[in-house]
Amino acid sequence: MAKFLWVFSGGPDSESECGFVDQESIRPDFREGACWLKANGITTNNPYRPVAQVTRGEMAAFLYRTGGHNAQWVSVAP
Amino acid sequence: MASGAAHTCGLRSDATVVCWGRNVEGQSSPLTPLSTTFTQVSAGRFNTCGVRTGGTVVCWGNDGFGQLAVPSGSFTRVSVGGLHVCGVRPNQTLACWGFNSNGQTNAPTGRFSGVSAGDDHSCGVRTDGTVVCWGSNGAGQASPPWGTFTTVDSGATRSCGVRSDQQVVCWGSDLAGGATPPAGPFAAVTAGGDNACGLTSQEVVVCWGSQASLSGSPAPGPPTNVRARVVAGSATVSWTPPVDDAGSPVTGYTVTVWPGGAGCTSVAPATSCGVAGLSQSAAVRFTVTATNARGSSMPSAGTIPVVPGVCGVVPTAFSDELAIPKFAKRGASCLSERDITTNDPYNAYGAVSRAQMAAFLWRMAGSPPSPSSCGFADESFIPLFARPGACWLKAEGITTVNPTIRPGS
């Protein structure tokens, strides 16, 4: 989820260590994404709990804060 | 392509013919089987004629004056006028048939490289380049000037030709300046009714006479793949340049906001620009036109209407509203408002699968075109609604898991 959102947002520069108390349990290739979520206020959880199941409520908040925090949406021509 | 008074016919790339427009006289309904192939087609006032592969001519439409009574034998070219038709035979002699009120079918003898039937006169280019006309000459349309020509076209009361020095010369009625062409060089000319047009050697169409501007130069095609990324009160619009620039490079683009009419412009090759000051409470859509030295294209297809405002201001009344945690309410309302997910009840504590996530991210990006199949080994386990999204994530590099996406995880 974290990596999806981070790459979806263009994969901006991000730390791979940012103070999650369960840092070691986050897969190395997911760490930048997790830190990007934290740095941008998309998740404030600490511990991060990398293998916990994401709920639809959390997803709504994540998507809103990621793409929709500024009501950013794409409209295309059919 | 061949245009008559109110109908048009074209040769497809497979050499079959198709006509559209006025069909009261049957001029848009070829009498031949659909599979018949042609080498040339000509549309006149009430008739159409075509040279079939093999050289025979067939005509359809009005037959009040014998226009459909094609002489036997082969032709290389045919030209339909008002109520008569002329053709060039393989031995370069001429034959005309149909209405002969003013001698317009009395083709002269000799060898010709081309012929053109007008309203009630005709002109031909001899193999030595000189032009001869016959039929009605009330406005001087059958009195060509001296000189050698590469092509000639007969209109209503006027004829025009391209001289060997690539200048266009017209004779006959000069009503509204229709017989006063600009300086060349030209490659082709059409004499028309109240106006005339020429194709320059740079492949630009120039018209003169009445309504010349209405029948002016070809403009580029419209841009495609228009996308608008909207944030509160503004939008960034991007697009793909038109495939067809009509032979002249696109110089710029104009984005228009509907309704409202304002927008933004860009100078080519830039293919995006920003629009500010949008209402945050009403839906808008965007179109883009391309401009080159010859004019502007038709507008592109419009984007799907979108409100460029902050979403979730008015909470969506989900049936399980009380079971949605506070931190998720606004996001859930936005997802519902923007048709990212329309589930009701929202089921905030339900788990999100990778397949659902793929579908949501793809929809947030505007549901861009994406295949439903792209080589995931576990494709059959991906719900149908999520397949384009999964393929889009893969194509965009947002997910790189391969060969499986594990849609249920």
Side-chain angles (χ1 to χ4, degrees):
Chain A
M1 179 85 174
K3 190 173 180 187
F4 272 178
L5 293 174
W6 175 58
V7 179
F8 179 74
S9 300
D13 286 345
S14 178
E15 304 293 327
S16 56
E17 284 189 28
C18 52
F20 284 120
V21 297
D22 53 353
Q23 162 95 22
E24 292 307 310
S25 60
I26 305 174
R27 255 175 58 171
D29 58 328
F30 287 178
R31 288 179 187 168
E32 283 181 302
C35 284
W36 179 78
L37 292 183
K38 184 171 187 244
N40 287 276
I42 294 163
T43 180
T44 52
N45 280 7
N46 196 356
Y48 179 70
R49 293 188 292 131
V51 295
Q53 176 72 58
V54 177
T55 67
R56 286 173 53 84
E58 289 165 333
M59 180 203 66
F62 290 165
L63 290 180
Y64 176 71
R65 293 168 191 159
T66 305
H69 65 286
N70 194 14
Q72 176 171 293
W73 306 90
V74 175
S75 170
V76 298
Chain B
M1 297 274 290
S3 294
H7 77 293
T8 301
C9 297
L11 273 187
R12 292 196 180 96
S13 54
D14 66 0
T16 59
V17 72
V18 59
C19 298
W20 57 97
R22 187 179 169 93
N23 196 28
V24 175
E25 312 278 343
Q27 60 267 57
S28 293
S29 299
L31 297 174
T32 49
L34 289 177
S35 58
T36 306
T37 58
F38 292 83
T39 57
Q40 188 236 331
V41 64
S42 172
R45 190 169 288 278
F46 304 115
N47 281 95
T48 308
C49 294
V51 182
R52 282 188 287 216
T53 307
T56 55
V57 164
V58 60
C59 296
W60 55 93
N62 182 284
D63 194 28
F65 301 92
Q67 303 100 299
L68 306 191
V70 183
S72 59
S74 295
F75 290 85
T76 55
R77 302 288 296 175
V78 68
S79 173
V80 184
L83 293 166
H84 74 290
V85 187
C86 292
V88 184
R89 292 191 181 279
N91 67 2
Q92 298 188 304
T93 59
L94 298 182
C96 297
W97 61 97
F99 195 41
N100 197 23
S101 57
N102 296 280
Q104 61 266 46
T105 63
N106 298 340
T109 56
R111 294 188 183 279
F112 289 80
S113 60
V115 69
S116 174
D119 245 18
D120 50 10
H121 76 289
S122 312
C123 294
V125 184
R126 291 188 187 275
T127 49
D128 66 3
T130 57
V131 166
V132 58
C133 299
W134 56 100
S136 173
N137 195 27
Q141 67 267 42
S143 300
W146 178 87
T148 56
F149 290 78
T150 54
T151 181
V152 67
D153 191 73
S154 305
T157 53
R158 175 177 55 250
S159 303
C160 296
V162 180
R163 263 190 338 218
S164 353
D165 63 1
Q166 297 190 303
Q167 299 302 317
V168 163
V169 183
C170 296
W171 53 96
S173 167
D174 191 28
L175 190 68
T180 310
F186 284 93
V189 66
T190 175
D194 294 332
N195 62 309
C197 295
L199 178 69
T200 72
S201 52
Q202 284 85 40
E203 298 191 331
V204 177
V205 172
V206 178
C207 295
W208 55 94
S210 158
Q211 298 185 15
S213 60
L214 291 178
S215 42
S217 311
T224 57
N225 194 29
V226 178
R227 303 167 68 80
R229 185 171 283 274
V230 298
V231 298
S234 65
T236 303
V237 182
S238 61
W239 55 89
T240 301
V243 176
D244 176 17
D245 66 4
S248 172
V250 171
T251 52
Y253 299 92
T254 303
V255 169
T256 304
V257 182
W258 306 91
C264 58
T265 57
S266 85
V267 176
T271 53
S272 73
C273 63
V275 185
L278 296 171
S279 159
Q280 294 190 38
S281 57
V284 290
R285 54 202 302 166
F286 303 88
T287 61
V288 187
T289 57
T291 301
N292 68 9
R294 302 176 187 179
S296 294
S297 70
M298 297 284 286
S300 68
T303 57
I304 295 164
V306 62
V307 180
V310 176
C311 62
V313 174
V314 179
T316 302
F318 292 106
S319 56
D320 60 345
E321 202 175 332
L322 295 177
I324 302 175
K326 194 179 170 195
F327 70 84
K329 281 185 189 297
R330 183 118 187 208
S333 295
C334 278
L335 293 178
S336 169
E337 222 176 274
R338 307 288 190 180
D339 285 346
I340 307 298
T341 174
T342 51
N343 279 12
D344 187 27
Y346 183 76
N347 188 19
Y349 292 97
V352 180
S353 67
R354 287 170 60 86
Q356 289 168 333
M357 191 72 203
F360 297 160
L361 288 173
W362 174 63
R363 291 172 190 163
M364 277 185 71
S367 305
S370 179
S372 292
S373 178
C374 54
F376 284 118
D378 54 354
E379 181 178 296
S380 60
F381 296 100
I382 307 175
L384 287 177
F385 75 88
R387 289 186 189 178
C391 288
W392 177 76
L393 290 180
K394 186 181 181 192
E396 294 285 315
I398 295 171
T399 181
T400 51
V401 290
N402 209 12
T404 74
I405 191 170
R406 291 179 286 120
S409 302

